[in-house]
């Protein structure tokens, strides 16, 4: 009945694409990952993942670890033309970190742990993590908190295994003193016996680091790391602390921006969702005291929120050029008419102390929400509080 | 009783009920005296009509045909009702089975709860797998879904190596409608795991998005809740830069992933890849997308990929003003009749070889038994079971 007359090119109850899968590397993600580890450890700081042991979360449709695979095929190119020679064509496993929710301004305030360090130690640590892509985008506050949270871990004797291949990974390490050997066992996990660690593939000296994947999610360690001399010292940082520092500061800053934006009458009709999108596009900038942030007469392209510090507006042609026409403190804003048109700045704004501002470009605003005129037409603009320009922006030129 | 079991294959403790049932069936169904006393062997169904939506289900309402996919804490099986009229029993479903201990151990409780709720919320979309029911027992959570027989788009992509632009456009267009629905009509659901492995084909070659294990409802216009979320999840090659940097991410991650997906459709591999995941992440945050000489990729396709895979979210297509409507107007989709796409007026470019409704030949074969797993102890029940009460 069903299927009668249908000539299947595939045998019943077999996968129709079995042969194709062999050519293209099959779906043995974990076997591939294991093999890759054997000979492609390029950096000891970058353990591989996905052997199917430990706590890597495997997508419910992910491949199964017990499926047998052709071991020699997976990394070969399926065909020569135009394909990357080493791409693994197997199913890719999903990954997930533990779910984190910001405490925000709730009562159980979280503060990151602080482990004191000498200025020398701090300088060395800074240098050690400066080139690392997981740290290079941090702002000053975040970087300071992360540096503070690194915990000293003395490794008194030679031969202590700091991380074990195949084990769950929760910590990232920076070598303060001494050296450590990296071993990789081709089986993907540490084995019993004298050669259980597998051959040594590399050594990490002071200033080096390892285990950074653990800062993203819990993946099995790709190598065993063992102290190569007595009296070594490490700095350790765990994933939850690291991610929490980033999350809490980002969360707090976004809520601050959204709060500031709520106070801008020009943007009063934005929904919380739109404000949040705008908060995404704000760029933080720092200026020293005495810096001219916007200059009277210049074309206006950006709008500013004052995050910290104080500033003042000056206008030429007022009774006294040196008397500010307006003062700004945290949460105030200026230059908002730039969102509306390219009219010259009506005043100069100069920082009175070191200031931190959040800048929003007109173009970014328009890309996200369209022309500001459209936003303003939603409600009648009431000029309760403006930055520099004490006039109805719809009539401003 | 021990003697009876010893003659056949012993049923290990902790085995999933469907597995135990399968083993019993293999053993001739003889070793369960209590069943024998109730009804004749192999005749344990009745002809009372059985409607899967009419009452709370149990796993005994189904028999397993075979496994369609597996993961650490989940297994998806093709199942049939174990009783009911002949018409009822000829129906097939996909049953997703999640092991509570693994869900807890992998800290995925929140994700599993979101999955059930969101599947329920989005259940009438043409390109999303259809939620039927959910239920639970002592050790497992179950989500009953419509069976999508065509298998994974992943399988076809690897088989054909790559898709031409017309094929890629067809699938991308259906995905745009999915994202428009999730992000805009549903008010801010981020899917967070877009990849060919999670796209199934139905009998007519249309897409069905499956596995909402990472989907999350974010704040929106009305809720006033934060629109961003912070838990790193997804698939390494498809992660957006803001996820890697833990900057708080939004529905914009799905548009990034769509860019990666179109690239992989057209070339056969994703733009950022490496054996070592850390190297993938470095490339994603630092490197521009580079297109190969061969195959030739049109300027419109390159442009839409670059516009989706833009690190600056205030420039990323789909996230910028106009949202999905702006995506639909991109030259890559020139000539697409969006209404015809939504109403599936044309069959897809690949018609899966399906011989009968419950045919599973388009899916890979998986082992039918789990490795031994931890027990769901009374302590765990006490501590966690309330989180699963919605199932």
């Amino acid at each position: 009945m069903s299927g009668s007359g249908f000539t299947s090119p595939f045998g019943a109850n077999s996968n129709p694409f079995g042969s194709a899968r062999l050519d293209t590397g099959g779906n043995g993600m974990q076997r591939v990952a294991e093999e890759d580890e054997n000979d492609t450890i390029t950096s000891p700081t970058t353990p591989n993942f996905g052997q199917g042991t430990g706590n890597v979360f495997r997508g419910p449709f992910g491949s199964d670890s017990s499926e047998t695979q052709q071991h020699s095929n997976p990394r070969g190119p399926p065909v020569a033309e135009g394909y990357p020679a080493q791409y693994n064509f197997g199913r890719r496993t999903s990954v997930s970190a533990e779910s984190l929710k910001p405490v925000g301004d709730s009562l159980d305030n979280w503060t990151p742990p602080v482990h004191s360090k000498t200025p020398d130690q701090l300088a060395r640590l800074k240098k050690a993590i400066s080139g690392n892509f997981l740290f290079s985008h941090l702002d000053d506050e975040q970087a300071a908190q992360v540096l503070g949270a690194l915990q000293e871990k003395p490794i008194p004797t030679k031969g202590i295994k700091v991380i074990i291949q195949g084990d769950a990974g929760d910590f990232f390490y920076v070598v303060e003193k001494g050296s450590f050997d990296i071993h990789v066992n081709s089986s993907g996990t540490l084995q019993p016996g004298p050669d259980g660690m597998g051959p040594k593939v590399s050594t990490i000296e002071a200033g080096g680091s390892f285990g950074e994947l653990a800062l993203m999610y819990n993946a099995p360690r790709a190598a065993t790391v063992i102290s190569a001399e007595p009296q070594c010292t490490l700095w350790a940082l765990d994933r939850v602390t690291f991610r929490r520092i980033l999350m809490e500061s980002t969360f707090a800053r976004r809520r601050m921006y959204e709060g500031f934006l709520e106070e801008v009458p020009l943007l009063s009709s934005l929904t919380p969702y739109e404000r949040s999108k705008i908060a995404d596009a704000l760029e933080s900038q720092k200026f020293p005291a005495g810096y001219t942030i916007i200059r009277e007469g210049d074309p206006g392209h950006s709008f500013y929120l004052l995050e910290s510090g104080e500033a003042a507006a000056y206008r030429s042609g007022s009774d006294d050029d040196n008397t500010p026409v307006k003062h700004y403190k945290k949460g105030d804003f200026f230059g908002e008419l730039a969102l509306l048109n390219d009219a010259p700045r009506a005043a100069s704004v100069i920082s009175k102390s070191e200031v931190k501002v959040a800048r929003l470009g007109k173009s970014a605003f328009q890309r996200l929400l369209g022309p500001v005129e459209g936003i303003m037409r939603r409600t009648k603009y009431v000029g309760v509080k403006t930055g520099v320009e004490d006039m109805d922006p719809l009539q401003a030129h | 009783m021990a003697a009876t079991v010893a003659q056949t294959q012993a049923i290990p403790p902790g085995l999933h009920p469907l597995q135990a049932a399968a083993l019993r069936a293999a053993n001739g169904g003889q070793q369960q005296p209590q069943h024998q006393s109730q009804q004749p062997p192999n005749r344990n169904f009745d002809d009372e009509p059985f409607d899967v939506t009419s009452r709370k289900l149990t796993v005994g309402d189904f028999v397993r045909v075979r496994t369609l996919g597996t993961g650490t804490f989940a297994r998806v099986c093709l199942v049939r009702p174990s009783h009911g009229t002949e018409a009822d029993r000829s129906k097939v479903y996909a049953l997703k089975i999640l092991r509570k201990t693994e869900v807890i151990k992998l800290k995925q409780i929140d994700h599993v709860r979101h999955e059930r709720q969101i599947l329920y919320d989005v259940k009438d979309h043409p390109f999303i797998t259809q939620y039927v029911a959910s239920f639970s027992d002592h050790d497992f959570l179950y989500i009953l879904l419509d069976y999508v027989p065509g298998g994974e788009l992943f399988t076809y992509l690897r088989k054909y190596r790559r898709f031409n632009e017309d094929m890629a456009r067809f699938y991308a267009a259906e995905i745009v409608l999915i994202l428009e629905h999730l992000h805009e009509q549903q008010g801010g659901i981020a899917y967070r795991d877009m990849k060919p492995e999670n796209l199934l084909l139905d009998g007519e070659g249309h897409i069905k998005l499956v596995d909402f294990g990472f989907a999350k409802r974010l704040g929106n216009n009305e809720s006033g809740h934060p629109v961003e979320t912070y838990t790193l999840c997804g698939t390494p090659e498809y992660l957006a830069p803001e996820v890697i940097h833990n900057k708080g991410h939004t529905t914009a991650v799905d548009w990034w992933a769509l860019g990666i997906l179109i690239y992989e459709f057209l070339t056969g591999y994703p733009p950022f890849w490496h054996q070592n995941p850390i190297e993938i992440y470095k490339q994603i945050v630092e490197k521009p997308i580079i297109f190969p000489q061969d195959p030739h990729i049109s300027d419109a396709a390159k442009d839409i990929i670059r516009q989706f895979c833009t690190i600056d979210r205030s420039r990323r297509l789909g996230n910028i003003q106009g949202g999905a409507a702006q995506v639909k107007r991109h030259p890559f989709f020139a000539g697409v009749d969006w209404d015809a796409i939504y109403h599936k007026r044309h069959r897809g470019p690949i018609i899966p070889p399906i011989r009968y409704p419950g045919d599973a030949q388009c899916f890979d074969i998986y082992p039918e038994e789990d490795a031994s797993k931890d027990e769901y102890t009374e302590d765990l029940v006490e501590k966690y079971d309330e989180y699963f009460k919605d199932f």
Side-chain angles (χ1 to χ4, degrees):
Chain A
M1 246 185 73
S2 55
S4 67
F6 175 81
T7 317
S8 171
F10 316 116
N13 206 19
S14 71
N15 188 282
F17 312 115
S19 57
R21 272 175 29 246
L22 278 187
D23 301 341
T24 54
N27 58 359
M29 185 69 171
Q30 35 288 110
R31 297 296 293 271
V32 174
E34 283 170 29
E35 184 189 58
D36 290 341
E37 278 168 1
N38 306 344
D39 49 10
T40 59
I41 283 273
T42 50
S43 157
T45 65
T46 53
N48 212 327
F49 81 120
Q51 297 100 316
T53 54
N55 280 339
V56 172
F57 167 70
R58 315 189 65 76
F61 288 90
S63 58
D64 193 279
S65 57
S66 55
E67 190 158 330
T68 44
Q69 285 298 324
Q70 300 283 318
H71 215 131
S72 53
N73 272 333
R75 291 179 51 206
V79 279
E81 32 98 18
Y83 282 88
Q86 295 192 323
Y87 183 62
N88 167 14
F89 287 92
R91 283 199 180 79
R92 291 149 298 196
T93 307
S94 304
V95 295
S96 175
E98 41 279 283
S99 92
L100 281 184
K101 285 189 197 110
V103 298
D105 47 7
S106 72
L107 289 175
D108 60 339
N109 239 327
W110 182 81
T111 47
V114 182
H115 302 285
S116 61
K117 296 169 186 70
T118 68
D120 276 1
Q121 288 174 329
L122 267 180
R124 279 198 295 277
L125 266 177
K126 231 182 226 176
K127 186 159 175 268
I129 65 170
S130 64
N132 190 308
F133 81 104
L134 284 175
F135 299 95
S136 53
H137 67 290
L138 304 192
D139 66 28
D140 295 351
E141 286 84 359
Q142 291 172 328
Q145 288 188 344
V146 166
L147 288 171
L150 279 150
Q151 188 170 12
E152 188 168 5
K153 196 171 169 186
I155 308 293
T157 60
K158 184 182 169 178
I160 292 180
K161 296 188 190 76
V162 180
I163 65 176
I164 292 174
Q165 190 180 5
D167 276 11
D170 293 319
F171 285 88
F172 162 74
Y173 297 96
V174 178
V175 181
E176 165 79 359
K177 182 164 159 274
S179 62
F180 294 82
D181 290 338
I182 315 291
H183 293 261
V184 176
N185 187 302
S186 57
S187 74
T189 54
L190 179 77
Q191 299 297 315
D195 300 322
M197 293 192 298
K200 181 173 127 179
V201 295
S202 152
T203 298
I204 311 173
E205 309 281 349
S209 57
F210 53 92
E212 65 193 325
L213 190 59
L215 292 180
M216 298 189 67
Y217 45 84
N218 183 354
R221 298 293 197 183
T224 299
V225 178
I226 185 168
S227 52
E229 55 189 91
Q231 303 297 325
C232 297
T233 308
L234 291 171
W235 296 103
L237 176 65
D238 71 282
R239 170 176 65 255
V240 172
T241 300
F242 175 69
R243 298 194 70 80
R244 202 123 194 210
I245 286 171
L246 269 57
M247 176 181 70
E248 296 294 348
S249 70
T250 308
F251 184 84
R253 183 178 312 134
R254 287 184 64 124
R255 299 291 89 81
M256 177 179 77
Y257 285 167
E258 287 164 18
F260 287 178
L261 289 168
E262 254 179 87
E263 301 299 316
V264 182
L266 199 57
L267 307 177
S268 62
S269 67
L270 294 189
T271 63
Y273 177 73
E274 288 169 329
R275 267 198 291 277
S276 181
K277 273 194 149 174
I278 292 295
D280 252 353
L282 287 169
E283 288 169 43
S284 216
Q285 286 182 314
K286 271 185 175 170
F287 297 115
Y291 186 86
T292 302
I293 303 167
I294 64 176
R295 190 180 301 279
E296 185 179 349
D298 282 358
H301 300 299
S302 298
F303 155 70
Y304 294 87
L305 292 167
L306 193 55
E307 272 186 58
S308 66
E310 288 185 37
Y314 300 87
R315 202 177 249 169
S316 62
S318 57
D319 294 348
D320 181 349
D321 281 6
N322 295 322
T323 307
V325 293
K326 205 163 174 98
H327 289 277
Y328 302 107
K329 56 185 189 325
K330 179 178 174 173
D332 290 340
F333 56 90
F334 49 88
E336 75 277 18
L337 289 195
L339 299 179
L340 201 57
N341 55 40
D342 294 325
R345 300 289 196 188
S348 295
V349 176
I350 298 170
S351 54
K352 289 165 68 179
S353 65
E354 188 185 71
V355 295
K356 197 170 172 188
V357 297
R359 190 179 74 88
L360 175 65
K362 177 184 185 170
S363 49
F365 184 93
Q366 292 193 344
R367 281 196 303 273
L368 287 166
L369 299 182
V372 82
E373 289 91 334
I375 306 287
M376 288 191 315
R377 274 190 208 104
R378 294 176 185 173
T379 52
K380 182 157 167 44
Y381 178 79
V382 277
V384 197
K385 181 186 173 195
T386 63
V388 171
E389 299 91 347
D390 286 321
M391 59 187 95
D392 185 336
L394 282 175
Q395 284 151 26
H397 292 290
Chain B
M1 186 169 159
T4 322
V5 174
Q7 287 172 355
T8 57
Q9 195 179 350
I11 296 174
L15 201 61
H16 184 272
L18 280 178
Q19 293 168 347
L23 275 180
R24 277 196 296 276
N27 294 339
Q30 297 295 319
Q31 77 281 28
Q32 293 291 320
Q34 69 270 36
H35 279 196
Q36 281 180 341
S37 64
Q38 283 160 8
Q39 50 201 170
N42 299 329
R43 294 276 311 185
N44 57 349
F45 53 82
D46 53 61
D47 294 332
E48 289 289 304
F50 170 54
D51 176 358
V52 293
T53 59
S54 64
R55 62 166 169 83
K56 203 68 184 169
L57 302 169
T58 72
V59 70
D61 290 322
F62 300 95
V63 287
R64 168 154 68 174
V65 181
R66 59 165 275 200
T67 293
L68 302 168
T70 60
T72 316
F73 63 81
R75 168 184 294 272
V76 179
C77 294
L78 178 63
V79 297
R80 290 180 187 283
S82 60
H83 57 96
T85 64
E86 192 169 340
D88 291 336
R89 279 181 281 118
S90 68
K91 287 180 182 150
V92 283
Y93 299 92
L95 184 65
K96 183 164 183 175
I97 305 165
L98 303 114
R99 190 180 283 270
K100 288 180 185 174
T101 50
E102 296 298 306
V103 170
I104 293 164
K105 202 167 84 189
L106 297 172
K107 304 188 173 88
Q108 299 296 316
I109 294 173
D110 282 349
H111 287 163
V112 166
R113 296 172 66 195
H114 295 152
E115 175 174 19
R116 195 212 75 94
Q117 185 59 46
I118 288 172
L119 278 170
Y120 177 81
D121 291 346
V122 302
K123 67 180 183 170
D124 290 320
H125 195 273
F127 305 124
I128 296 175
T129 184
Q130 183 85 1
Y131 169 92
V132 179
S134 69
F135 52 99
S136 65
D137 56 28
H138 184 268
D139 291 311
F140 298 94
L141 307 170
Y142 303 89
I143 303 176
L144 190 67
L145 302 154
D146 269 2
Y147 174 54
V148 185
E152 296 168 15
L153 190 58
F154 172 84
T155 311
Y156 299 93
L157 178 59
R158 291 294 180 266
K159 177 181 160 65
Y160 294 122
R161 309 252 152 84
R162 56 186 171 238
F163 295 155
N164 65 36
E165 289 203 11
D166 286 336
M167 292 171 81
R169 183 167 18 255
F170 178 86
Y171 297 127
E174 295 194 337
I175 295 163
V176 167
L177 294 183
I178 296 172
L179 295 183
E180 178 177 47
H181 182 75
L182 294 178
H183 296 176
E184 298 173 19
Q185 283 133 30
Q186 280 287 332
I189 293 174
Y191 174 70
R192 304 201 289 182
D193 204 14
M194 188 62 71
K195 56 176 169 178
E197 290 89 328
N198 284 342
L199 299 163
L200 302 190
L201 291 187
D202 69 13
E204 299 289 295
H206 295 285
I207 275 177
K208 288 278 187 189
L209 184 64
V210 296
D211 197 350
F212 278 63
F214 293 154
K216 185 170 184 190
R217 184 178 287 281
L218 305 176
N220 59 34
N221 291 5
E222 289 80 35
S223 73
H225 293 131
V227 302
E228 84 278 14
T229 184
Y230 293 87
T231 303
L232 183 151
C233 61
T235 296
E237 287 86 341
Y238 282 78
L239 288 185
E242 63 267 27
V243 177
I244 293 166
H245 275 158
N246 208 27
K247 285 180 172 169
H249 59 270
T250 63
T251 52
V253 298
D254 291 334
W255 295 113
W256 172 281
L258 179 55
I260 303 288
L261 187 68
I262 295 174
Y263 186 107
E264 184 167 333
F265 282 165
L266 296 176
T267 64
Y269 50 88
F272 306 114
W273 59 269
H274 198 276
Q275 294 89 344
N276 184 332
I278 279 288
E279 297 299 322
I280 299 176
Y281 304 137
K282 271 186 202 164
Q283 292 178 35
I284 291 171
V285 300
E286 289 170 0
K287 292 274 195 309
I289 289 201
I290 294 173
F291 294 94
Q293 296 282 313
D294 176 50
H296 172 77
I297 295 169
S298 72
D299 289 345
K302 285 180 185 169
D303 188 73
I304 201 168
I305 291 167
R306 287 207 183 94
Q307 290 212 45
F308 283 141
C309 298
T310 297
I311 292 178
D312 180 352
R313 281 175 282 175
S314 80
R315 296 172 192 273
R316 187 178 305 163
L317 184 63
N319 191 51
I320 56 177
Q321 201 234 343
Q326 183 80 2
V327 175
K328 292 176 180 175
R329 286 194 292 268
H330 189 278
F332 178 70
F333 290 117
V336 169
D337 178 346
W338 291 95
D339 196 52
I341 296 279
Y342 183 85
H343 290 104
K344 303 185 184 178
R345 294 222 181 89
H346 308 289
R347 303 206 305 174
I350 298 170
I351 303 300
I354 300 160
R355 298 162 298 177
Y356 51 90
D359 189 1
Q361 73 166 345
C362 296
F363 287 86
D364 283 350
I365 306 285
Y366 295 86
E368 294 293 336
E369 282 171 50
D370 293 349
S372 64
K373 300 284 175 170
D374 302 333
E375 194 191 343
Y376 191 50
T377 61
E378 286 312 310
D379 283 356
L380 288 171
V381 171
E382 182 90 353
K383 197 168 167 198
Y384 293 106
D385 225 43
E386 64 167 304
Y387 293 111
F388 301 129
K389 67 181 184 326
D390 289 343
F391 273 80

